[in-house]
Amino acid sequence: MLKRIEIRDFAIIDQLGLDLGPGLTTLTGETGAGKSILLDALGLCLGDRTDRSMVPAEAGKSEVHGLFDVADTPRARGWLTEEALDEDDECLIRRVVQSNGRSQAWINGRPVTRHQLEQLGALLMGIHGQHAHQALMRPDTQRRTLDGFAAHPQRLEAVAELARRWRRVSAEIESLSGGSADHHDRIELLRYQLDELDDAAPSAEEMAELEREQRRLAGAGEIITACQQSLEALYDGETSAQSLIATAERELSAHGDVDARIDEVQQLLTTGQVQIDEACQALRQFADQLEMDPERLEAVETRLSRLHDLARKHQIEPEGLAEHAEALRAELDRLTSADERLVTLNAEKEKLFSDYREAAQTLSESRQAAAAALSERVDTLLGELGMAGAALIIAVDPDDQATPSEHGIDRVRFDVRTNPDQRPAPLQKVASGGELSRIGLALEVATADTAELPSLIFDEADTGIGGAVAEVVGRQLRALSAHHQVICITHLPQVAAQGMHQLQVDKRQNESGRTVTDVRPLVGDQRVHEIARMLGGLEITENTLNHAREMLDQAD
């Protein structure tokens, strides 16, 4: 659950720190005080896209911190462990947005991408904005809601895995299908290319050796000349290095007994003569063995030219010709043995389809049982929410002819009847905004004990209702908080009174004349006065205060 949120320089919030606890927390305040800005800041912390307009011009950047307790959130803990971002039972998220729109994010002090933040956020908290229940009209949302209530992840994964395997086998069958001209043309091309490569018989080792031999043969004349000039300078010439060193050694030998250092130099010169002798001997042997061979040079260059031409033809480096030939050979073997492979694949495909149908049927039966139970539970809640006679009919229609899908063979559809004499129709065609909001709330409460999100936030889930129904909404939100941390922004005193904690959002002008938002927890009489304000009237009377106290007492 969310333990603390800190916000700095975000929209009209200068600096704010809030500690939050379990159960139901209500946020109240005048219209326009900035209640929804808190949700925007929290959404940013959980991976929403940045909006640089939320960064005050005088601030330069906005910063939001969220501290979550993940001790009882196995999916979030598992994700953190997989990403090597875990840190005991707490998770600290930090998001910074610069005035130019660029953002940075950290989880437990380690930098992460926005996508990672979004993945974790989806496991920590569900934010239901004023129009969030519109998503209920989408078939995929309806299917996921039913599957969440049914709590059958193993059945879902079994169906999904079989569908993925069936698609992979089908794709391989299509690629190996021998009935097309392209298939035969490819085989003929591969055979021609392999004949050409096998005739050349290239190898990476040969290529390197040929290039070394070509450089040696092409430069043989220059190398022989360089050897002769070096021998002349080192040994054979009248003023060779060998003779000069010998002269220097003789001159110094007469004075070796005068100073030990002269003797050391003489020894070094002697060693130098020996090394020059050895170098000249090796150089003569090399030069004697090196021959000018124009015919061999021509043969080497012809071979290199052929290999380079082949490499250009196949758009690879010459060193890769041998490896490329093996790859072509493997492809040819695969294509020419396609008939045998196709028999195996078609048998595998048929078996996978049979297994898929069995698994999908089991999933369908589970969905149908869950649909009946969920419909009954929602219908009861709708009656309490002022929609007596309304009913949610969850249709699970198997399609036996459907191509294997990761979601199974069922079309899941939420139909609704808002009045007893009305025929059921799809949700999006019947429900008004207020009715849709109440249906959404009923579904949240009905699925609370199976939902995996630890925290839920509702932004004015009570829109379009009032009176006794508003009190029921508040009670349902309180009941929901037995399974989740629930935070609700509301304008209705009946809902606010049901909160275990209450925060007041207030807008004021700071010392510099800038409009800013503050949030403070309410206790005791503070809460009574806020509930009384929400009850309305130009003047808060003692009767209004007593009514507020009564509402709070009844909630407790």
Side-chain angles (χ1 to χ4, degrees):
M1 71 173 188
L2 177 63
K3 294 177 64 176
R4 181 171 176 81
I5 182 170
E6 295 183 3
I7 305 169
R8 183 187 296 272
D9 297 321
F10 184 81
I12 59 174
I13 298 176
D14 271 353
Q15 186 169 351
L16 176 65
L18 284 177
D19 291 312
L20 297 155
L24 173 61
T25 298
T26 57
L27 275 75
T28 61
E30 296 284 359
T31 300
K35 298 185 292 298
S36 293
I37 292 175
L38 286 172
L39 291 194
D40 293 336
L42 189 54
L44 184 71
C45 188
L46 297 175
D48 283 356
R49 294 189 178 277
T50 58
D51 181 356
R52 63 182 180 180
S53 67
M54 303 302 281
V55 182
E58 63 276 9
K61 68 177 182 180
S62 298
E63 189 164 346
V64 183
H65 294 210
L67 179 63
F68 293 84
D69 183 345
V70 294
D72 298 321
T73 313
R75 291 178 65 207
R77 285 173 64 91
W79 185 91
L80 288 167
T81 301
E82 288 177 6
E83 299 290 324
L85 296 169
D86 52 317
E87 194 76 28
D88 298 325
D89 291 336
E90 289 190 339
C91 175
L92 177 63
I93 298 176
R94 179 184 173 215
R95 186 91 182 269
V96 175
V97 181
Q98 307 292 339
S99 57
N100 60 7
R102 295 184 61 187
S103 73
Q104 298 166 286
W106 295 263
I107 296 175
N108 287 329
R110 296 156 205 160
V112 296
T113 64
R114 188 189 73 84
H115 178 63
Q116 286 177 297
L117 207 59
E118 192 175 36
Q119 285 181 313
L120 178 60
L123 302 175
L124 291 173
M125 182 169 283
I127 299 179
H128 300 261
Q130 295 183 34
H131 306 291
H133 294 311
Q134 299 294 327
L136 276 176
M137 295 188 290
R138 295 201 297 265
D140 59 332
T141 302
Q142 295 173 6
R143 186 192 65 249
R144 285 198 304 270
T145 300
L146 178 60
D147 285 336
F149 178 77
H152 47 207
Q154 293 86 358
R155 291 189 176 97
L156 284 169
E157 180 53 34
V159 167
E161 176 59 22
L162 286 167
R164 287 191 290 266
R165 289 171 58 190
W166 183 88
R167 283 202 304 271
R168 285 196 296 267
V169 170
S170 297
E172 187 175 355
I173 288 173
E174 184 175 354
S175 71
L176 291 176
S177 177
S180 67
D182 289 344
H183 176 84
H184 293 296
D185 289 347
R186 179 63 179 166
I187 289 177
E188 291 304 313
L189 175 61
L190 287 170
R191 283 174 175 160
Y192 171 78
Q193 291 175 328
L194 280 170
D195 286 344
E196 191 175 40
L197 287 167
D198 289 343
D199 182 59
S203 71
E205 296 78 8
E206 181 199 17
M207 193 70 199
E209 178 58 35
L210 284 171
E211 288 178 341
R212 285 194 296 270
E213 186 178 3
Q214 190 273 339
R215 288 194 299 270
R216 186 172 67 250
L217 290 170
E222 295 178 1
I223 294 172
I224 291 172
T225 299
C227 289
Q228 292 171 345
Q229 290 175 347
S230 296
L231 286 169
E232 182 75 15
L234 290 171
Y235 199 88
D236 295 338
E238 293 182 2
T239 57
S240 67
Q242 173 72 9
S243 63
L244 292 174
I245 292 174
T247 300
E249 183 187 9
R250 287 194 301 272
E251 292 290 335
L252 291 173
S253 64
H255 308 287
D257 57 349
V258 176
D259 192 315
R261 288 176 293 182
I262 292 179
D263 187 55
E264 292 176 2
V265 172
Q266 185 182 5
Q267 292 177 13
L268 290 172
L269 290 173
T270 300
T271 301
Q273 287 186 80
V274 172
Q275 291 178 338
I276 289 175
D277 286 343
E278 291 177 354
C280 290
Q281 184 178 357
L283 195 57
R284 280 194 178 91
Q285 290 176 351
F286 173 75
D288 290 344
Q289 294 172 358
L290 189 63
E291 297 179 358
M292 303 287 286
D293 190 347
E295 292 182 359
R296 176 58 184 166
L297 176 60
E298 182 180 0
V300 168
E301 289 182 339
T302 299
R303 174 68 171 166
L304 281 172
S305 177
R306 183 182 182 189
L307 294 178
H308 279 282
D309 288 344
L310 273 175
R312 280 193 298 271
K313 186 174 183 179
H314 290 272
Q315 299 181 349
I316 59 173
E317 293 297 322
E319 294 81 1
L321 282 169
E323 184 178 351
H324 182 62
E326 291 308 310
L328 295 181
R329 200 180 318 279
E331 183 183 356
L332 180 61
D333 290 343
R334 183 173 63 86
L335 291 177
T336 53
S337 62
D339 290 343
E340 180 180 344
R341 176 64 177 158
L342 280 171
V343 171
T344 302
L345 286 173
N346 280 314
E348 184 179 357
K349 179 180 178 181
E350 185 175 343
K351 177 66 166 57
L352 284 171
F353 186 77
S354 175
D355 292 346
Y356 170 83
R357 297 296 305 180
E358 184 177 345
Q361 182 60 39
T362 301
L363 175 62
S364 182
E365 291 169 0
S366 178
R367 280 173 172 161
Q368 290 169 13
L374 181 57
S375 295
E376 183 178 353
R377 193 179 295 189
V378 169
D379 291 351
T380 301
L381 291 167
L382 288 176
E384 296 175 7
L385 291 170
M387 294 179 65
L392 178 69
I393 299 93
I394 302 178
V396 180
D397 299 324
D399 181 2
D400 294 335
Q401 304 303 316
T403 299
S405 158
E406 293 184 19
H407 306 302
I409 58 175
D410 302 313
R411 289 191 298 267
V412 177
R413 186 181 71 254
F414 284 12
D415 290 344
V416 68
R417 184 188 67 218
T418 55
N419 296 296
D421 58 347
Q422 195 175 41
R423 294 184 62 183
L427 193 61
Q428 59 268 34
K429 294 184 178 180
V430 177
S432 65
E435 290 169 335
L436 189 60
S437 178
R438 277 180 273 182
I439 293 170
L441 179 59
L443 279 166
E444 290 287 355
V445 175
T447 59
D449 54 349
T450 58
E452 297 180 337
L453 285 174
S455 301
L456 298 172
I457 296 184
F458 293 90
D459 184 9
E460 300 186 23
D462 45 27
T463 299
I465 60 175
V469 175
E471 184 176 349
V472 173
V473 170
R475 289 178 180 173
Q476 296 294 356
L477 288 170
R478 191 179 179 108
L480 189 61
S481 72
H483 302 278
H484 308 269
Q485 178 190 46
V486 178
I487 301 169
C488 179
I489 294 175
T490 182
H491 287 290
L492 297 179
Q494 297 94 329
V495 175
Q498 293 293 327
M500 298 151 183
H501 320 281
Q502 187 169 347
L503 303 172
Q504 184 183 43
V505 184
D506 184 41
K507 189 163 62 176
R508 62 176 179 83
Q509 286 190 323
N510 62 14
E511 297 80 3
S512 62
R514 180 170 172 262
T515 300
V516 296
T517 286
D518 285 331
V519 181
R520 63 180 181 125
L522 300 179
V523 295
D525 287 343
Q526 293 174 331
R527 193 170 181 198
V528 172
H529 279 271
E530 175 64 1
I531 297 294
R533 179 197 67 77
M534 298 174 72
L535 285 167
L538 296 175
E539 182 180 352
I540 297 179
T541 66
E542 190 61 33
N543 286 337
T544 310
L545 291 171
N546 287 334
H547 188 188
R549 291 189 187 95
E550 182 181 3
M551 292 176 68
L552 289 168
D553 290 341
Q554 289 177 347
D556 291 336

